[in-house]
Amino acid sequence: MRQSAAVELSGVSKQYGNATALDGIDLTVEAGSVFGMIGPNGAGKTTTMRLLLDIIRPTAGSIRVLGIDPMNGGAELRRRIGYLPGELRLEGRVTGRSLLEHYARISGPVGPGAIDALAERLGVQLDRAVRTLSKGNKQKLGLVQAFMHRPPLLVLDEPTSGLDPLVQREFLAMVREAREAGQTVFLSSHVLSEIQQVADAVAIVRSGRIVTVSSVEGLRETAVRRVRVGFADTTPEAVGARLAGIRNLSDLAVTGTATGTGTEVRATVSGDIDPFVKAIASFAIVDLAIEEPDLEESVLKLYGVGGES
Ligand code: ATP
């Protein structure tokens, strides 16, 4: 295991009877980074996170969390991880405050005022019985619980689900601050846009396999852009001939303008936009629109990631 890795999975598989939840996953999360796992329902995100916490055990492969195999880490390793489970169940008459104080006794030292400060940031009332809290407020309590003892590693399963946009923003700020403090954050989502602002690297998972691991910038570079260009004093034939050799163009439509003297081009560019820009540059351009890629849509399209099926 490399010193710099906070989490390392090598050839990890998980079978449930005949069903394969994870199929040979290799993954490295660098210490001090924010790593996102994105994929549709049933892709294997929750399974991966439970393996890190030793809630379940792998059928094959090896796992290291903060340098230790979770199977041998026991309570000591568990204390060094802040975990937000995907399906957080909070029931009973106990208040949020007493529940968090209970967790603080297990997880180890929580700084004075840390619970109240986090609760205030996220806007959660601590003195109500947890069973009376809405789904979003339960999620906030779960986040306070994960962050409050400043663990070296945070494992957060769909942390933004149920949070309104303002609270989501606060949560993303907490993640950035954690990274600045040297903590590692491993989080999952089925919505890329929610975590693209904070993740250093993103793994796209589908059907128990890693489809790709990339930086958000890298994903953006492979993204699909829609372009529209207006040319003056140019025939569709001339423009069409110039664009003919560009391999990453699709949905190409080259038409004459109503005035009869110009040409309009509409196309989809997959990935590198440079060949397209170079090809059109020799004509007189009167209009240019490049649609900012919807990263979510284009990434899922590129990697053929659909829903559970
Ligand atoms: P979601 O976004 O819906 O939570 P996920 O990516 O977290 O999805 P997992 O919960 O890890 O997906 O599930 C991966 C696969 O393993 C799914 O096909 C799921 O049905 C299956 N699975 C998970 N837990 C069990 C179990 N206890 N028994 C049988 N199959 C399971």
Side-chain angles (χ1 to χ4, degrees), residues 90-96 98-99 126-132:
L90 294 177
E91 282 144 18
R93 290 169 202 278
V94 63
T95 64
S98 39
L99 192 68
L126 293 177
D127 297 312
R128 279 177 55 178
V130 290
R131 64 168 180 191
T132 68

Side-chain angles (χ1 to χ4, degrees), residues 55-137:
I55 297 165
I56 54 173
R57 292 189 166 172
T59 313
S62 71
I63 305 177
R64 289 284 178 280
V65 175
L66 301 172
I68 298 162
D69 184 333
M71 279 195 253
N72 306 324
E76 198 181 320
L77 177 61
R78 180 66 186 80
R79 271 196 288 274
R80 300 174 65 206
I81 308 172
Y83 176 52
L84 175 77
E87 301 111 47
L88 187 62
R89 282 197 206 89
L90 294 177
E91 282 144 18
R93 290 169 202 278
V94 63
T95 64
R97 185 181 299 282
S98 39
L99 192 68
L100 291 171
E101 281 165 358
H102 165 74
Y103 282 124
R105 282 191 289 276
I106 301 169
S107 67
V110 172
I115 290 178
D116 284 285
L118 283 168
E120 196 173 321
R121 277 187 87 167
L122 296 171
V124 57
Q125 294 168 319
L126 293 177
D127 297 312
R128 279 177 55 178
V130 290
R131 64 168 180 191
T132 68
L133 294 175
S134 67
K135 182 175 181 292
N137 279 312

